[in-house]
CSV table of all heavy atoms in Angstrom, one decimal:
chain,number,residue,atom,x,y,z
A,1,TRP,N,111.3,44.1,86.0
A,1,TRP,CA,110.2,43.4,86.5
A,1,TRP,C,110.0,42.1,85.8
A,1,TRP,O,109.9,41.0,86.4
A,1,TRP,CB,108.9,44.2,86.4
A,1,TRP,CG,107.7,43.4,86.8
A,1,TRP,CD1,107.2,43.1,88.0
A,1,TRP,CD2,106.7,42.7,85.9
A,1,TRP,NE1,106.1,42.3,88.0
A,1,TRP,CE2,105.8,42.1,86.7
A,1,TRP,CE3,106.7,42.6,84.5
A,1,TRP,CZ2,104.7,41.3,86.1
A,1,TRP,CZ3,105.6,41.9,83.9
A,1,TRP,CH2,104.7,41.3,84.8
A,2,LEU,N,110.0,42.1,84.5
A,2,LEU,CA,109.7,40.9,83.7
A,2,LEU,C,110.8,39.9,83.8
A,2,LEU,O,110.5,38.7,84.0
A,2,LEU,CB,109.5,41.2,82.2
A,2,LEU,CG,108.1,41.8,81.9
A,2,LEU,CD1,108.1,42.5,80.6
A,2,LEU,CD2,107.0,40.8,82.0
A,3,MET,N,112.1,40.3,83.8
A,3,MET,CA,113.1,39.3,84.0
A,3,MET,C,113.1,38.6,85.3
A,3,MET,O,113.3,37.4,85.4
A,3,MET,CB,114.5,40.0,83.8
A,3,MET,CG,114.8,40.4,82.3
A,3,MET,SD,114.7,39.0,81.2
A,3,MET,CE,115.1,39.9,79.7
A,4,ALA,N,112.7,39.4,86.4
A,4,ALA,CA,112.6,38.8,87.7
A,4,ALA,C,111.5,37.8,87.7
A,4,ALA,O,111.7,36.7,88.3
A,4,ALA,CB,112.4,39.9,88.7
A,5,VAL,N,110.3,38.1,87.2
A,5,VAL,CA,109.2,37.2,87.3
A,5,VAL,C,109.4,36.0,86.4
A,5,VAL,O,109.0,34.8,86.8
A,5,VAL,CB,107.9,37.8,87.0
A,5,VAL,CG1,107.5,38.9,88.0
A,5,VAL,CG2,107.8,38.4,85.6
A,6,PHE,N,110.1,36.1,85.3
A,6,PHE,CA,110.3,35.0,84.4
A,6,PHE,C,111.4,34.1,85.0
A,6,PHE,O,111.4,32.8,84.8
A,6,PHE,CB,110.7,35.4,83.0
A,6,PHE,CG,109.5,35.9,82.2
A,6,PHE,CD1,109.6,37.2,81.6
A,6,PHE,CD2,108.4,35.2,82.2
A,6,PHE,CE1,108.5,37.7,80.9
A,6,PHE,CE2,107.3,35.7,81.5
A,6,PHE,CZ,107.4,36.9,80.9
A,7,ALA,N,112.4,34.6,85.7
A,7,ALA,CA,113.3,33.8,86.4
A,7,ALA,C,112.6,33.0,87.5
A,7,ALA,O,112.9,31.8,87.7
A,7,ALA,CB,114.4,34.7,87.1
A,8,TRP,N,111.7,33.7,88.2
A,8,TRP,CA,110.9,33.0,89.2
A,8,TRP,C,110.1,31.8,88.5
A,8,TRP,O,110.0,30.7,89.0
A,8,TRP,CB,109.9,34.0,89.8
A,8,TRP,CG,108.9,33.3,90.8
A,8,TRP,CD1,109.0,33.1,92.1
A,8,TRP,CD2,107.6,32.8,90.4
A,8,TRP,NE1,107.9,32.5,92.6
A,8,TRP,CE2,107.1,32.3,91.6
A,8,TRP,CE3,106.9,32.7,89.2
A,8,TRP,CZ2,105.8,31.7,91.6
A,8,TRP,CZ3,105.7,32.2,89.2
A,8,TRP,CH2,105.1,31.7,90.4
A,9,ALA,N,109.5,32.1,87.3
A,9,ALA,CA,108.7,31.1,86.7
A,9,ALA,C,109.4,29.9,86.3
A,9,ALA,O,108.9,28.8,86.4
A,9,ALA,CB,108.1,31.7,85.4
A,10,ALA,N,110.7,30.0,85.9
A,10,ALA,CA,111.5,28.9,85.5
A,10,ALA,C,111.7,27.9,86.6
A,10,ALA,O,112.0,26.7,86.4
A,10,ALA,CB,112.8,29.4,85.0
A,11,LEU,N,111.6,28.4,87.9
A,11,LEU,CA,111.8,27.6,89.0
A,11,LEU,C,110.5,27.1,89.7
A,11,LEU,O,110.6,26.5,90.8
A,11,LEU,CB,112.7,28.3,90.0
A,11,LEU,CG,114.1,28.8,89.5
A,11,LEU,CD1,114.7,29.7,90.6
A,11,LEU,CD2,114.9,27.6,89.2
A,12,SER,N,109.4,27.4,89.1
A,12,SER,CA,108.2,27.2,89.9
A,12,SER,C,107.1,26.5,89.0
A,12,SER,O,105.9,26.8,89.2
A,12,SER,CB,107.6,28.5,90.4
A,12,SER,OG,107.4,29.4,89.3
A,13,LEU,N,107.4,25.5,88.2
A,13,LEU,CA,106.4,24.8,87.5
A,13,LEU,C,105.7,23.9,88.4
A,13,LEU,O,106.3,23.4,89.4
A,13,LEU,CB,107.1,23.9,86.4
A,13,LEU,CG,107.8,24.7,85.3
A,13,LEU,CD1,108.6,23.8,84.4
A,13,LEU,CD2,106.8,25.5,84.5
A,14,PRO,N,104.4,23.5,88.3
A,14,PRO,CA,103.6,24.0,87.1
A,14,PRO,C,103.3,25.5,87.2
A,14,PRO,O,103.1,26.0,88.3
A,14,PRO,CB,102.3,23.1,87.2
A,14,PRO,CG,102.2,22.8,88.6
A,14,PRO,CD,103.6,22.7,89.2
A,15,LEU,N,103.2,26.1,86.1
A,15,LEU,CA,103.1,27.6,86.1
A,15,LEU,C,101.6,28.1,86.2
A,15,LEU,O,101.5,29.3,86.5
A,15,LEU,CB,103.7,28.1,84.8
A,15,LEU,CG,105.2,28.0,84.7
A,15,LEU,CD1,105.7,28.1,83.3
A,15,LEU,CD2,105.9,29.0,85.6
A,16,LEU,N,100.7,27.3,86.0
A,16,LEU,CA,99.3,27.7,86.2
A,16,LEU,C,98.9,27.4,87.6
A,16,LEU,O,98.8,26.3,88.0
A,16,LEU,CB,98.4,27.0,85.2
A,16,LEU,CG,98.6,27.4,83.8
A,16,LEU,CD1,97.6,26.7,82.9
A,16,LEU,CD2,98.6,28.9,83.6
A,17,SER,N,98.7,28.5,88.4
A,17,SER,CA,98.4,28.3,89.8
A,17,SER,C,97.1,27.6,90.1
A,17,SER,O,96.1,28.0,89.4
A,17,SER,CB,98.4,29.7,90.5
A,17,SER,OG,97.9,29.6,91.8
A,18,PRO,N,97.0,26.6,91.0
A,18,PRO,CA,95.7,26.0,91.2
A,18,PRO,C,94.8,26.9,92.1
A,18,PRO,O,93.6,26.7,92.2
A,18,PRO,CB,96.1,24.8,92.0
A,18,PRO,CG,97.4,25.1,92.7
A,18,PRO,CD,98.1,26.0,91.7
A,19,ASN,N,95.4,28.0,92.7
A,19,ASN,CA,94.6,28.9,93.5
A,19,ASN,C,94.5,30.2,92.9
A,19,ASN,O,95.4,31.1,93.0
A,19,ASN,CB,95.3,29.0,94.9
A,19,ASN,CG,95.4,27.7,95.6
A,19,ASN,OD1,94.4,26.9,95.6
A,19,ASN,ND2,96.6,27.4,96.1
A,20,ALA,N,93.5,30.5,92.2
A,20,ALA,CA,93.3,31.8,91.5
A,20,ALA,C,93.0,32.9,92.6
A,20,ALA,O,92.7,32.6,93.7
A,20,ALA,CB,92.0,31.7,90.6
A,21,LEU,N,93.3,34.1,92.2
A,21,LEU,CA,93.1,35.2,93.1
A,21,LEU,C,91.6,35.2,93.5
A,21,LEU,O,90.7,35.0,92.8
A,21,LEU,CB,93.4,36.5,92.4
A,21,LEU,CG,94.9,36.7,91.9
A,21,LEU,CD1,95.0,38.0,91.2
A,21,LEU,CD2,95.8,36.6,93.0
A,22,ALA,N,91.4,35.6,94.8
A,22,ALA,CA,90.0,35.6,95.3
A,22,ALA,C,89.3,36.8,94.6
A,22,ALA,O,88.1,36.7,94.4
A,22,ALA,CB,90.1,35.9,96.8
A,23,ALA,N,90.0,37.8,94.3
A,23,ALA,CA,89.3,38.9,93.6
A,23,ALA,C,90.4,39.8,93.0
A,23,ALA,O,91.6,39.8,93.4
A,23,ALA,CB,88.5,39.8,94.6
A,24,VAL,N,90.0,40.5,92.0
A,24,VAL,CA,90.9,41.5,91.4
A,24,VAL,C,90.3,42.9,91.5
A,24,VAL,O,89.1,43.0,91.7
A,24,VAL,CB,91.1,41.2,89.9
A,24,VAL,CG1,91.9,39.9,89.7
A,24,VAL,CG2,89.8,41.2,89.1
A,25,THR,N,91.2,43.8,91.5
A,25,THR,CA,90.7,45.2,91.8
A,25,THR,C,90.8,46.1,90.6
A,25,THR,O,91.9,46.2,90.0
A,25,THR,CB,91.6,45.8,92.9
A,25,THR,OG1,91.6,45.0,94.1
A,25,THR,CG2,91.1,47.2,93.3
A,26,GLU,N,89.7,46.7,90.2
A,26,GLU,CA,89.7,47.6,89.1
A,26,GLU,C,90.6,48.8,89.4
A,26,GLU,O,90.6,49.3,90.5
A,26,GLU,CB,88.3,48.1,88.8
A,26,GLU,CG,88.3,49.0,87.6
A,26,GLU,CD,86.8,49.4,87.2
A,26,GLU,OE1,85.9,48.8,87.8
A,26,GLU,OE2,86.7,50.3,86.4
A,27,GLY,N,91.5,49.2,88.5
A,27,GLY,CA,92.4,50.2,88.8
A,27,GLY,C,93.8,49.7,89.2
A,27,GLY,O,94.7,50.5,89.3
A,28,LYS,N,93.8,48.4,89.6
A,28,LYS,CA,95.1,47.8,90.0
A,28,LYS,C,95.5,46.7,89.0
A,28,LYS,O,96.3,47.0,88.1
A,28,LYS,CB,95.0,47.2,91.4
A,28,LYS,CG,96.3,46.7,91.9
A,28,LYS,CD,96.2,46.1,93.3
A,28,LYS,CE,97.5,45.5,93.8
A,28,LYS,NZ,97.4,44.9,95.1
A,29,GLU,N,94.9,45.5,89.1
A,29,GLU,CA,95.2,44.4,88.2
A,29,GLU,C,94.7,44.6,86.8
A,29,GLU,O,95.1,44.0,85.8
A,29,GLU,CB,94.8,43.1,88.7
A,29,GLU,CG,95.6,42.6,90.0
A,29,GLU,CD,94.9,43.1,91.2
A,29,GLU,OE1,93.9,43.8,91.2
A,29,GLU,OE2,95.4,42.7,92.3
A,30,PHE,N,93.6,45.4,86.7
A,30,PHE,CA,93.0,45.7,85.4
A,30,PHE,C,92.3,47.1,85.5
A,30,PHE,O,92.1,47.6,86.5
A,30,PHE,CB,92.0,44.6,85.0
A,30,PHE,CG,90.6,44.7,85.7
A,30,PHE,CD1,89.6,45.3,85.1
A,30,PHE,CD2,90.5,44.2,87.0
A,30,PHE,CE1,88.3,45.5,85.8
A,30,PHE,CE2,89.3,44.3,87.7
A,30,PHE,CZ,88.2,44.9,87.1
A,31,LYS,N,92.0,47.6,84.3
A,31,LYS,CA,91.2,48.8,84.2
A,31,LYS,C,90.2,48.7,83.1
A,31,LYS,O,90.5,48.0,82.1
A,31,LYS,CB,92.1,50.0,84.1
A,31,LYS,CG,92.8,50.1,82.7
A,31,LYS,CD,93.6,51.4,82.6
A,31,LYS,CE,94.3,51.6,81.3
A,31,LYS,NZ,95.1,52.8,81.2
């Protein structure tokens, strides 16, 4: 997982997305 996403990151600067998630779900993105 991490190698894939970091390979993606290297090709997609700027790395801080201007569009934050509309919401996060407890039990999924965080707990």
Side-chain angles (χ1 to χ4, degrees):
W1 174 80
L2 282 165
M3 289 303 181
V5 295
F6 287 127
W8 174 91
L11 299 174
S12 57
L13 295 173
L15 289 162
L16 294 183
S17 168
N19 299 313
L21 300 176
V24 293
T25 304
E26 183 177 350
K28 184 181 178 183
E29 291 91 358
F30 77 98
K31 68 177 181 180

